[in-house]
Amino acid sequence: MSQINLQSTRSFSQQDLQVFGLNDLAYVRPAVTSDGEIVYMVHAANGQVMGSMQNRESAFAAVLQQGLTALSVH
C-alpha cells in the first residue's frame, strides 16, 4: 500500500478524492460570501457541500467529529 503524505494530497483532483475515499475524506477550503466575509466550506470528497463554518478550526473540528479525515484545499 502506498503512503499518502500532505505533499501528495495537494495535487489530488476532485476525481482522485472521489476514488480515494468518498466515505473517509472531506476537504475544507476558504470562500468569500457576497458580503465579503471569509467562511470555510466543508466538502465531501465528491465535492458536495456539507456545510460552512466561521473559522478554519471549527471546520476541521466538524470534519473530525464526523469521523472523517480532513484535507485543506487552498
Side-chain angles (χ1 to χ4, degrees):
M1 179 187 284
S2 303
Q3 285 262 331
I4 296 177
N5 59 42
L6 181 59
Q7 192 64 29
S8 67
T9 61
R10 292 177 193 232
S11 63
F12 280 1
S13 69
Q14 184 173 335
Q15 186 176 20
D16 292 334
L17 289 172
Q18 286 178 324
V19 172
F20 178 69
L22 180 60
N23 297 318
D24 300 320
L25 297 176
Y27 61 94
V28 175
R29 68 184 214 183
V32 179
T33 67
S34 59
D35 297 335
E37 181 182 2
I38 296 175
V39 295
Y40 292 84
M41 302 298 296
V42 178
H43 297 264
N46 67 357
Q48 179 181 355
V49 175
M50 298 171 66
S52 67
M53 299 290 179
Q54 294 297 314
N55 59 59
R56 187 175 184 273
E57 293 78 19
S58 295
F60 274 85
V63 170
L64 295 174
Q65 186 176 27
Q66 296 302 314
L68 301 171
T69 299
L71 298 174
S72 179
V73 179
H74 35 93

